[in-house]
Amino acid sequence: MRIDTAEHAQGNIPPQSNLPDPVLTPLSRRQADRLVHLALRAATDLGLTVTYQGGAALVPADPSADRPVLGLSNLARIIARFEEDRWPSLIEEHFTGMLAQLSQGPPPPPADPERELIQRLVPRDALPSSWTSDRPDFLPGLISVPSAETDGVVTMYFEPADLGLTWSDAERFGLANLRRLKDQVEYVDHDDLRITFVSGTGYAASRALVLDTVLRETLQVEHPPYGVLAALPARDTLILHVIEDLSVLPALGVLLNVAARCYSRDPGPLSPEVHLVTPGLTWHPATTELPDHAPLRLSPELESLTKLLATREGAAQSRYPMP
């Protein structure tokens, strides 16, 4: 059971302390302060001289030092699932494992890039702009990068030439290996709607890059006649709904809600948006955001599809009237 401690105030805590922390989501400000305190103590016990200056990371107290920079964003999302009395041990375990990885140095480059590279979706704004300026978006704010995983550590390769490859070759290898991954699938039926959750690896959301394979091999859907709704809220979650009729509208509401929750709480956030993917695998936004915080509206593409579905359902009902 997931326990969201951010929603449970404890004792007579000042109301300001229970406001959401603007950086270390989904924790409250009080909980974020406690995370930073525990993280600093754990780092000190491990022999590190670091400080917290905001920005969701512990940085070297000596400004001239390059390392280590210890991120807290994903740690905040992990510990939010547990009661606070478990936080000290979880944080200590997290930093012990992180330092063990750092002490071993960077993982070696893949010996066989053709078999080892896996394409990965990452947020553009999480990376230095100089690394990504020449890479197109797969979806707004998300780029596709060749990567390799060694002992649970993922390394991304922004200069495939270092591996003796062109970008196109590295991407081709990465997509081919991404297609070979096996999905863990959970079907959730909600008010006669079927929502599919694809998970099982840290590349689950990246499987959107090979959605045709996911539909064919995982969902056993060769050619969805009206396309699918898709959301990629976090790196280990891909949410899908195969469109069959006007139930796409309540399905959109479910996906918007679940995607927003996953994006705000799960490690490795990618995007809270829901997308309409056509039968030809063209991606469009499912909604259009209006100014002044007005309610979302259907995107032109989804609005056109719902009109088509309404026309066809109306024609079917007139052809076969209810008794």
Side-chain angles (χ1 to χ4, degrees):
M1 177 183 294
R2 180 178 180 133
I3 301 171
D4 185 2
T5 56
E7 294 183 359
H8 300 281
Q10 299 179 2
N12 295 320
I13 299 170
Q16 191 76 7
S17 299
N18 288 321
L19 292 175
D21 188 85
V23 176
L24 294 172
T25 57
L27 303 181
S28 69
R29 293 182 180 179
R30 177 191 64 79
Q31 291 174 320
D33 288 344
R34 183 159 189 252
L35 166 58
V36 171
H37 171 76
L38 292 171
L40 287 169
R41 187 173 71 185
T44 300
D45 290 345
L46 292 167
L48 300 177
T49 305
V50 293
T51 185
Y52 184 70
Q53 299 175 353
L58 303 185
V59 298
D62 179 0
S64 65
D66 293 331
R67 294 188 177 190
V69 174
L70 306 176
L72 300 180
S73 295
N74 284 334
L75 180 56
R77 292 165 181 263
I78 292 169
I79 66 172
R81 305 176 180 185
F82 300 93
E83 295 288 356
E84 289 191 36
D85 58 1
R86 292 193 57 188
W87 287 15
S89 61
L90 290 169
I91 292 169
E92 180 181 0
E93 179 182 345
H94 176 84
F95 282 117
T96 299
M98 182 182 295
L99 291 178
Q101 292 176 353
L102 290 174
S103 67
Q104 297 172 7
D112 187 353
E114 185 171 0
R115 293 181 178 274
E116 296 179 49
L117 288 180
I118 306 177
Q119 210 67 11
R120 187 177 184 87
L121 285 173
V122 293
R124 181 183 293 277
D125 62 9
L127 302 164
S129 59
S130 59
W131 295 6
T132 62
S133 59
D134 61 341
R135 303 309 307 152
D137 281 355
F138 169 68
L139 293 172
L142 298 179
I143 61 172
S144 169
V145 179
S147 72
E149 185 172 5
T150 304
D151 297 329
V153 179
V154 174
T155 303
M156 292 178 284
Y157 294 94
F158 296 92
E159 295 290 346
D162 294 341
L163 303 176
L165 300 174
T166 64
W167 256 109
S168 60
D169 282 340
E171 188 171 46
R172 178 166 55 86
F173 296 157
L175 290 173
N177 291 322
L178 183 64
R179 289 186 187 278
R180 296 188 182 101
L181 297 182
K182 299 302 180 182
D183 297 318
Q184 177 179 315
V185 181
E186 179 182 2
Y187 295 100
V188 177
D189 295 321
H190 178 82
D191 293 340
D192 296 327
L193 304 173
R194 169 151 286 191
I195 308 296
T196 304
F197 290 82
V198 176
S199 60
T201 74
Y203 286 88
S206 299
R207 292 271 286 172
L209 293 164
V210 291
L211 186 60
D212 56 332
T213 296
V214 176
L215 292 173
R216 182 177 61 255
E217 298 182 1
T218 301
L219 275 65
Q220 304 294 307
V221 176
E222 189 71 33
H223 299 292
Y226 304 113
V228 299
L229 294 179
L232 303 71
R235 64 191 177 202
D236 59 355
T237 304
L238 173 63
I239 311 172
L240 301 171
H241 170 72
V242 177
I243 301 171
E244 297 178 348
D245 50 37
L246 282 175
S247 64
V248 63
L249 295 175
L252 173 62
V254 173
L255 262 68
L256 285 168
N257 182 275
V258 175
R261 289 173 63 86
C262 290
Y263 177 76
S264 68
R265 302 180 181 208
D266 291 351
L270 292 179
S271 170
E273 306 299 330
V274 176
H275 304 273
L276 168 67
V277 188
T278 69
L281 299 181
T282 300
W283 290 68
H284 300 283
T287 60
T288 299
E289 187 172 355
L290 298 179
D292 301 325
H293 306 288
L296 293 176
R297 293 187 57 182
L298 299 185
S299 66
E301 295 80 9
L302 185 53
E303 186 171 8
S304 295
L305 175 59
T306 57
K307 289 179 179 178
L308 172 65
L309 292 170
T311 299
R312 292 189 175 182
E313 289 189 17
Q317 289 177 3
S318 64
R319 192 177 303 117
Y320 304 103
M322 295 292 290

